[in-house]
Amino acid sequence: MKHYLQFSDFGADEYAYLFERAALIKRKFKAYERHQTLTDRTLAMIFEKASTRTRVSFEAGMYQLGGSVVHLTTGDSQLGRAEPIEDSAKVISRMVDLVMIRTFEQTKIEAFAAHSRVPVINGLTNEFHPCQILADLFTLLEHRGANPQGKPDPAFLRGKTVAWVGDGNNMANTWLQAADILGFTVHVSTPSGYEVDQSVAGIRSSGSYKVFANPMDACAGADLVTTDVWTSMGYEAENEARKKAFNDWCVDQDMMRAAKPDALFMHCLPAHRGEEVEAEVIDGPQSVVWDEAENRMHVQKALMEYLLLGQQG
Ligand code: CP
């Protein structure tokens, strides 16, 4: 049994399979063709933080695969009344086939997985957001890295540059892991005091990322420029201090001009126009944020199928 708790839980071959499978699943979805490989399977979704995309993409995706979902939050379950996470894992995993959790510390999802009888998926923790980077990479391949047969070709990623502008947060950590596995480089630019921590990202060497004090320098020659909100969920008390610290880390048109002419812009959303990104960029021609959001569903359908059935086809 496999869990998907961080991006480094899978290897390059597994990602190649997932990208190709997600492309097939997406083609069938667009053609209104049924793809019900998880009939009668149940997904439990546990949310300890708010969500729009993660909830809709997992819930719609599981129904489309022929299964059903159970939705739990801290406020409407015993999770919010101090039932130990280990006990919750033992009980919930006796009743469902798969569990997706959005929570705070990575240690919490790891504790759940250690006591679960079924695969567990990370729907975002303070440290990682692997489903989002899975969707982002699929989107990049869809737009720029398809082979002559129109299939996503992960070899495209080797030697490419992703510019990360903003907080050294769960998204940044996950980009670092993805670069390490799939052979690209991340140019990271964060304000002082908000740097990425290689030990939190859990990568072995710094060979797959470079740090830049100036976000413009990080964007120079990049194939993809990406960012996230200045204040992630759980850090709201720091909001005012962060607004001051991050003032120069707004992705603007000059940064996009510094990147390659065909560079894409991504943002995992929700976005704050005028803070981490200018409206002209996120709503401009290089932005693929709506495909990026939609692709959460297609890649997660491939992921759920893989965790329950292994490789298909
Ligand atoms: N990007 C993302 O995870 O969106 P939600 O917080 O809306 O789920």
Side-chain angles (χ1 to χ4, degrees):
M1 183 178 73
K2 274 180 177 290
H3 300 295
Y4 192 56
L5 306 183
Q6 47 186 299
F7 200 89
S8 59
D9 284 344
F10 289 176
D13 290 350
E14 288 171 297
Y15 284 111
Y17 168 76
L18 286 174
F19 294 139
E20 188 165 343
R21 190 70 177 171
L24 171 84
I25 287 171
K26 183 171 182 176
R27 273 198 303 280
K28 291 175 80 173
F29 174 79
K30 296 290 181 187
Y32 297 99
E33 207 180 310
R34 276 194 176 181
H35 181 83
Q36 298 199 328
T37 49
L38 297 185
T39 309
D40 296 335
R41 304 294 185 108
T42 304
L43 166 72
M45 303 190 299
I46 300 171
F47 284 99
E48 298 204 291
K49 294 180 179 178
S51 167
T52 297
R53 279 144 289 271
T54 303
R55 175 163 181 191
V56 176
S57 56
F58 270 105
E59 188 159 343
M62 192 57 174
Y63 282 126
Q64 289 161 22
L65 290 169
S68 57
V69 298
V70 176
H71 178 242
L72 294 166
T73 68
T74 312
D76 65 13
S77 71
Q78 302 292 2
L79 288 161
R81 299 181 65 246
E83 180 166 15
I85 195 83
E86 295 81 3
D87 292 2
S88 301
K90 287 175 189 167
V91 172
I92 293 167
S93 68
R94 281 175 178 244
M95 300 179 192
V96 303
D97 302 282
L98 192 58
V99 178
M100 187 286 304
I101 306 179
R102 167 168 287 196
T103 188
F104 292 87
E105 297 80 19
Q106 183 72 10
T107 50
K108 206 164 174 184
I109 195 169
E110 283 169 2
F112 191 103
H115 294 85
S116 172
R117 289 181 165 193
V118 302
V120 177
I121 298 171
N122 182 342
L124 180 146
T125 58
N126 290 349
E127 289 87 352
F128 300 113
H129 199 358
C131 292
Q132 184 65 56
I133 303 302
L134 185 59
D136 293 5
L137 287 167
F138 179 74
T139 308
L140 179 58
L141 294 177
E142 197 175 44
H143 281 268
R144 297 284 184 261
N147 68 16
Q149 290 74 44
K151 291 182 177 173
D153 180 6
F156 165 86
L157 297 170
R158 284 201 284 275
K160 295 293 184 293
T161 299
V162 173
W164 176 263
V165 176
D167 193 11
N169 66 3
N170 50 7
M171 285 287 294
N173 290 335
T174 312
W175 273 116
L176 260 50
Q177 288 195 345
D180 208 35
I181 294 163
L182 296 171
F184 58 93
T185 303
V186 186
H187 286 184
V188 183
S189 181
T190 69
S192 176
Y194 300 93
E195 294 88 353
V196 287
D197 182 339
Q198 187 180 315
S199 67
V200 174
I203 57 170
R204 292 176 298 277
S205 82
S206 56
S208 53
Y209 77 97
K210 291 180 188 160
V211 173
F212 295 82
N214 184 337
M216 191 71 84
D217 295 337
C219 294
D223 299 276
L224 169 67
V225 177
T226 185
T227 186
D228 194 2
V229 292
W230 290 341
T231 305
S232 294
M233 286 182 285
Y235 297 86
E236 289 79 2
E238 302 174 11
N239 198 30
E240 287 312 309
R242 282 172 173 264
K243 275 189 177 174
K244 287 194 189 91
F246 282 78
N247 200 38
D248 293 334
W249 277 262
C250 172
V251 177
D252 59 19
Q253 290 174 295
D254 288 340
M255 290 185 200
M256 292 307 297
R257 274 191 282 272
K260 283 190 180 150
D262 68 343
L264 299 175
F265 172 77
M266 290 190 198
H267 188 309
C268 63
L269 306 176
H272 297 149
R273 288 167 177 78
E275 291 192 7
E276 74 275 7
V277 61
E278 274 186 350
E280 290 77 4
V281 171
I282 193 168
D283 299 320
Q286 289 166 280
S287 173
V288 289
V289 296
W290 312 123
D291 288 341
E292 182 189 2
E294 177 190 329
N295 283 336
R296 287 288 302 277
M297 184 174 79
H298 305 302
V299 298
Q300 288 162 195
K301 285 167 76 176
L303 173 66
M304 291 192 284
E305 199 189 67
Y306 177 60
L307 289 171
L308 290 177
L309 306 177
Q311 293 200 10
Q312 302 294 291

